[in-house]
């Protein structure tokens, strides 16, 4: 159970200068957070992240195909390589199907 507040155990109220400093720190943190959100949500940032992720997945897939295996330490990279492998396989299947259909006509 907490003690009742008395003049002996009460913390002093913050000064106006301390409050202003806290408000300034909060505003700076909020501004930084907004800048990060704007950056993360911008289409150019998203496109560059997608391009970088795709290049990494292609590199990981190349290592897998040549016997290097998938990245064990980063599950996201392993997943991306598997997705790329599935997309390549689906593309090859569609191309094969198109060639077979064209040959039958």
């Amino acid at each position: 159970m907490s003690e009742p507040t008395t003049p002996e155990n009460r913390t002093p109220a913050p000064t106006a200068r301390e409050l202003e400093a806290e408000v300034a720190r909060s505003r700076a943190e909020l501004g930084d957070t907004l800048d990060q959100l704007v950056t993360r949500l911008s289409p150019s940032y998203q496109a560059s992240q997608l391009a970088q992720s795709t290049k990494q997945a292609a590199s990981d897939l190349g290592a897998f195909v040549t016997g290097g295996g998938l990245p064990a330490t980063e599950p996201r990279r392993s997943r991306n390589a598997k997705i790329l492998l599935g997309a390549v396989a689906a593309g090859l299947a569609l191309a094969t199907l198109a060639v077979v259909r064209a040959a039958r006509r």
Side-chain angles (χ1 to χ4, degrees), residues 87-100:
V88 168
L92 288 174
L94 287 174
T96 303
L97 182 61
V99 168
V100 168

Side-chain angles (χ1 to χ4, degrees), residues 16-90:
R17 193 172 284 182
E18 291 171 335
L19 289 173
E20 288 173 0
E22 178 63 28
V23 168
R25 277 193 301 276
S26 295
R27 283 183 179 163
E29 288 176 10
L30 181 60
D32 290 343
T33 302
L34 286 174
D35 288 344
Q36 289 175 4
L37 285 172
V38 167
T39 299
R40 288 183 184 177
L41 295 175
S42 75
S44 62
Y45 177 80
Q46 293 295 321
S48 70
Q49 289 297 100
L50 179 62
Q52 180 181 357
S53 178
T54 303
K55 288 177 187 175
Q56 184 67 57
S59 174
D60 291 340
L61 183 58
F64 174 72
V65 169
T66 58
L70 292 171
T73 58
E74 295 185 52
R76 175 176 276 172
R77 283 179 52 194
S78 179
R79 181 203 64 195
N80 289 348
K82 291 174 187 175
I83 290 171
L84 184 59
L85 179 60
V88 168

